[in-house]
Amino acid sequence: MDILYKVFVDPFVQMGTAPDLLVQTLWEGLVAGVLYSLIALGFVLIFKASGVFNFAQGIMVVFAALTLVGFHEHGVPAFLALALTIAVMFGLAFAVERLILRPLVNQPDIILFMATFGLTYFLIGFGELIFGGETKVMIADQLLLPRGAIDIKMAGGFVSLQKIDIAAAIIASLMVATLAIFFQRTRIGRALRAVADSHRAALSVGISLEQIWVIVWFAAGLVALTTGIMWGARSDVSFALEVIALKALPVLILGGLTSIPGAIVGGLIIGVGEKLGEFYWGPLMGSGIESWFAYVIALIFLLFRPQGLFGERIIERI
Amino acid sequence: MRATGGPEAAVGDVLLSVENVSLSFGGVKAVSDVSFDIRKGEIRAIIGPNGAGKTSMLNVINGFYHPQQGRITFKGQTRSKMRPHEAAYGGIARTFQNVALFRGMTALDNIMAGRTLKMHSGFFWQLVRYGPAMREEVEHRHRVEEIIDFLKIQEIRRVPVGRLPYGLQKRVELGRALAMEPELLLLDEPMAGMNLEEKEDMSRFVLDVNDQYGTTIALIEHDMGVVMDLSDRVVVLDHGIKIADGTPDEVKRNKAVIDAYLGVAH
Amino acid sequence: MFYREAGQFKTNYAADLAVFPIMQDRIGLAVILFIAAVIIPWFGSSFLIQAVMIPFLIFSLAAIGLNLLTGYTGLLSLGTGAFMGVGAYACYKLTSYFPSVNILIWIVASGFFSAAVGVLFGLPSLRIKGFYLAVATLAAQFFLSWCFIRLPWFYNYNASGAIEVPTRTLFGIPITGATAADTTRYFVVLGFVVVMTWVASNLVHGRIGRMWMAVRDMDLAADLIGIRLLQTKLLAFATSSFYCGVAGALLVFLWYGGAEPAVFDVNLSFFILFMVIIGGLGSLTGSFFGAALIFIMPIALRYFPPKLGIPVHPATVEHIQYMIIGALIVLFLIAEPAGLARLWQVGKQKLRVWPFPY
């Protein structure tokens, strides 16, 4: 009886008695959710356009952030460092296409998935070798990103919104809008969708797979860079980010692997769900349930709606 | 009339009957209100232009698709929803248009896989392999080798099926279906993509299976010559509706059938 | 000309069904077993046994476990580390509660605990496949990792969060704990690995192996020939987790002598998966090859350069190791997706026709 009360009643009572805390928690959840969405967005881009599930997206975020900070540490001014990092991400996309995607064209998806495991571990080793494993500070000020917080009086107390988080939300929205337009309206976007459907069919109508893949991985690299900057500005850059990036997987399950809006909605749901779960139910179980709570949410979802909220239904024909 | 090479298998009572079956996929009606029956020991052909719903019909009989309406009665038992492995245990086996073999395994292992539902040795004996598990393995190997002899695929026993030419793959698939010792064998375009010699071989096998084992056969086929020569009775589908049902001669002369194949709007 | 099978005719099916039908293969196996059981413990240095052979055998066992699930049944699992942890902690709790029972019994029992957990987390496999199933196994991995860290019951409320292995004996000889000699521990591990590899071989060569491979290759067709999908998949999860659980118990009790919960993290899951990929999905010998390469390579990297006079920083070794493994994964997937096992088979094939080229 006591347990039932603790699980089903008490948390909601707490929410009610301190609504400002609730709003704060919701906001924190949304903020985390935006970042998860950005990572998931990178996955969706690559999956939508090449059918590859890029497990290395998380490490690309870290790698991009580290490269940016690394350039700056060697005296390169902030915006030039940014431009150079963008070039590096392009180089990475080119290398991945040449060395991994091209040799594995037409292989089953699971093989490509496993190849991205290899890429992940390679980038982890490479990144640590070049940049060292210590935590670094993101050059947020130099990139003219806002600092400080806005405190809003509401609901009996006050809620503190970090300006950087607001900036992150705005930038993320812009990025999503741009990508959505790009996919739907442009010639290249159409070609990307064709490639996602069938490599062979796309080849036969003259679409250059290599170019498409480089473009897509570059776009994902840009998304990764943005994510890295935003996340690094909030909580410093380290390889721990890579494991957090694994959180994007439940997001994709919720949102559907092929849907950009799904990545956003899924990210927000997971972010909010996680934070609420940790704050109100966490103390019951011992802290740190954030490490698996998202996965459980996703798992429950999988059992009832395997294609996610926005994904396409998979019909198997024989 | 079908050509015979041996004693005709006695055709008996109704083994399977399809009653008023309708199947749609989200708005697309694959099969509309189709009824027919299959008698024990006969060779029944299901024909029709492309997209007529023939494969969907087989999938319904197999339990792979569940019809929105209608029932299937098999060996006196009626059901509208059946799981595929229940169909297998009930005595229905089938081959596929696109050859659904297990590509990671050899031809021999594929056919041995067909014996799975007849193998009962317990998990413990499987762990140890000597004793009852081995004896069972050898016993079933005898049966599988009979099938291999029957289909004349001895040389390719140990070849991974992914490497076999299409015609041989279809033969192995037939072998796997036969290994289940089915009462009803569903063949989905067994002759597709074959040249004349291969078709003659496959026709021979189909006839022999029916003669020697007494297996009832339902087959989908496009080659009219094959259909006329092999089958006892024919069902014709077009756009999901049954338009004819009878002996090959009757169906051949049916105006609706001719129109359907020539594409005359009706 | 040495590796011919000319003159070796099989006169009955039982002989044809043998796992090693060629006489030379059987001799080879006997030689390997002899080296493992006699030469190495007699002549091998303590370093070789403690730092190389024991962990190599343990990881091979875990790789076999994962191979049964992912290589033979086609169910990608990223939860191997967690299942190994379940075995380790189960063994620890069992021997804490019942210290007088022989530890070997508890090691086997912990396998069953791990199997039960494996079945639980394998239940979703009826409805979800491929990448989605992998994510479900990640759920298991993170949840169980969290349990090992946050639920103090697992480590007997020890302040440090780590567990230390108590001394246990067999016929009066200590086999776990600080006093156990490395040769003794080596024999125990060798015994487990030999027996369990034999059992795994029996399984995959018979009806169960065929069922698993059928589910892997085309589960719809497997369903239609009468294979019960859920039971087959759950059996794969159970067996695989049993092997991983025993491996985990051996890891803690017969190698490390203790453990921190961080040992059984997602990195361990990936490393075992890499062993299976590189060694060869769907091959038991491949599991050994993969474990050898992934496990022994970093040791070689640490050991040899100093001998050649090249100074190597230990952290750098780890980074290079990651890079090499990552690159090898991609390389193998491109060049030989069937892994080292297939290369071995191709090598044997060439040996059969040697000295002719084909």
Side-chain angles (χ1 to χ4, degrees), chain A residues 250-259 261-263 265-267 301 307-311:
Chain A
V251 169
L252 289 164
I253 290 180
L254 253 182
L257 278 172
T258 51
S259 160
V265 172
F301 231 81
Q307 70 272 28
L309 285 169
F310 293 86

Side-chain angles (χ1 to χ4, degrees), chain C residues 145-197:
Chain C
S145 283
W146 176 83
C147 287
F148 298 145
I149 298 177
R150 296 288 180 177
L151 301 182
W153 176 77
F154 278 109
Y155 41 89
N156 286 345
Y157 301 94
N158 187 331
S160 68
I163 60 176
E164 214 179 285
V165 164
T167 306
R168 293 283 181 267
T169 64
L170 179 67
F171 307 131
I173 308 172
I175 54 175
T176 71
T179 50
D182 42 32
T183 343
T184 325
R185 288 184 282 121
Y186 172 74
F187 277 118
V188 174
V189 169
L190 185 67
F192 267 103
V193 172
V194 166
V195 170
M196 288 177 77
T197 306

Side-chain angles (χ1 to χ4, degrees), chain B residues 62-64 83-89 92-94 96 98-105 108-110 112-114 116-117 119-123 126-130 134 136-138 141-142 145 157-158 163 176 180, chain C residues 10 12-19 21 126 195 198-232 235 239 243 342 345:
Chain B
N62 236 141
F64 187 62
R83 308 291 315 283
H85 68 255
E86 288 169 359
Y89 275 90
I92 303 180
R94 108 170 241 198
F96 297 86
N98 294 321
V99 184
L101 283 176
F102 304 124
R103 287 181 189 279
M105 300 203 267
L108 176 63
D109 278 337
N110 264 277
M112 285 290 278
T116 307
L117 45 69
M119 296 177 107
H120 301 295
S121 73
F123 184 66
Q126 289 292 330
L127 293 174
V128 177
R129 193 164 159 89
Y130 294 114
M134 198 58 163
E136 191 183 54
E137 190 92 354
V138 170
R141 177 69 182 272
H142 276 288
E145 288 290 337
R157 264 195 213 95
R158 301 262 184 212
R163 286 198 226 147
R176 188 182 67 185
M180 294 165 65
Chain C
K10 310 287 175 294
N12 57 49
Y13 290 130
D16 194 44
L17 286 168
V19 175
L126 181 61
V195 170
W198 174 70
V199 168
S201 167
N202 293 338
L203 280 178
V204 303
H205 283 97
R207 163 176 67 97
I208 309 255
R210 278 194 297 269
M211 285 162 65
W212 284 340
M213 290 192 276
V215 167
R216 172 194 69 192
D217 287 342
M218 194 180 290
D219 56 356
L220 293 174
D223 201 7
L224 285 156
I225 65 171
I227 293 177
R228 301 194 132 94
L229 288 183
L230 185 64
Q231 277 96 316
T232 308
L235 185 64
T239 314
Y243 275 69
R342 173 60 59 82
Q345 272 187 347

Side-chain angles (χ1 to χ4, degrees), chain A:
Chain A
M1 244 343 270
D2 196 36
I3 303 249
L4 287 177
Y5 183 82
K6 275 208 181 118
V7 171
F8 289 107
V9 180
D10 202 34
F12 296 102
V13 169
Q14 284 180 26
M15 285 186 208
T17 49
D20 56 332
L21 267 182
L22 176 63
V23 174
Q24 182 79 46
T25 313
L26 280 172
W27 172 252
E28 301 286 325
L30 282 173
V31 165
V34 164
L35 290 166
Y36 291 152
S37 305
L38 279 179
I39 301 183
L41 195 61
F43 278 108
V44 168
L45 269 180
I46 294 186
F47 188 79
K48 220 170 146 70
S50 61
V52 176
F53 189 80
N54 177 25
F55 194 77
Q57 188 67 25
I59 189 65
M60 278 164 65
V61 170
V62 179
F63 193 73
L66 282 175
T67 310
L68 181 61
V69 173
F71 276 127
H72 187 71
E73 273 180 359
H74 280 81
V76 179
F79 281 96
L80 184 58
L82 189 63
L84 285 175
T85 310
I86 292 179
V88 167
M89 295 315 283
F90 183 80
L92 180 66
F94 193 76
V96 166
E97 191 276 319
R98 251 311 158 78
L99 298 172
I100 300 183
L101 296 179
R102 210 185 283 194
L104 287 174
V105 72
N106 276 327
Q107 292 286 351
D109 293 334
I110 201 83
I111 299 264
L112 283 158
F113 182 39
M114 294 196 283
T116 61
F117 291 166
L119 178 64
T120 304
Y121 274 77
F122 182 82
L123 285 177
I124 292 179
F126 187 57
E128 282 190 345
L129 194 66
I130 296 193
F131 300 112
E134 334 82 60
T135 316
K136 307 213 190 261
V137 176
M138 177 48 67
I139 51 173
D141 294 332
Q142 293 87 329
L143 288 172
L144 306 177
L145 290 168
R147 249 185 197 284
I150 305 176
D151 292 335
I152 304 180
K153 259 194 144 78
M154 72 177 301
F158 70 90
V159 173
S160 181
L161 311 174
Q162 296 281 335
K163 286 190 196 165
I164 187 73
D165 297 334
I166 303 177
I170 296 177
I171 294 180
S173 317
L174 281 174
M175 186 165 267
V176 168
T178 319
L179 285 168
I181 296 177
F182 182 67
F183 266 99
Q184 288 299 122
R185 297 292 164 89
T186 66
R187 186 176 57 92
I188 298 186
R190 219 179 4 251
L192 288 173
R193 284 185 282 146
V195 168
D197 248 354
S198 162
H199 291 178
R200 268 182 254 193
L203 274 174
S204 67
V205 296
I207 296 178
S208 163
L209 282 181
E210 291 98 33
Q211 281 179 11
I212 296 292
W213 284 338
V214 172
I215 293 174
V216 155
W217 281 72
F218 178 51
L222 290 177
V223 172
L225 178 58
T226 314
T227 317
I229 295 175
M230 290 298 135
W231 207 322
R234 296 193 83 236
S235 52
D236 297 333
V237 184
S238 78
F239 279 93
L241 222 65
E242 201 274 317
V243 179
I244 297 177
L246 286 180
K247 288 284 182 60
L249 298 178
V251 169
L252 289 164
I253 290 180
L254 253 182
L257 278 172
T258 51
S259 160
I260 292 181
I264 308 304
V265 172
L268 295 176
I269 293 180
I270 292 274
V272 168
E274 226 183 33
K275 276 286 182 300
L276 284 179
E278 173 71 42
F279 196 71
Y280 290 102
W281 280 272
L284 288 173
M285 291 192 245
S287 58
I289 68 173
E290 284 181 310
S291 63
W292 50 265
F293 198 64
Y295 281 90
V296 170
I297 299 178
L299 196 62
I300 296 175
F301 231 81
L302 264 182
L303 294 174
F304 295 107
R305 205 184 152 87
Q307 70 272 28
L309 285 169
F310 293 86
E312 297 141 12
R313 270 205 89 196
I314 322 151
I315 301 185
E316 292 199 66
R317 307 215 71 182
I318 192 167

Side-chain angles (χ1 to χ4, degrees), chain C residues 7 42 67 97 99 117 161 171 187 195 218 222 224 230 235 253 265 284 289 299 302-303 315-316 330 349 353 356:
Chain C
W42 199 261
N67 217 337
Y97 283 140
V117 172
F171 307 131
F187 277 118
V195 170
M218 194 180 290
L224 285 156
L230 185 64
L235 185 64
F253 276 77
D265 65 355
L284 293 180
F289 288 142
I299 297 183
R302 243 173 276 153
Y303 194 64
T316 320
V330 174
Q349 197 56 31
V353 295
F356 301 108

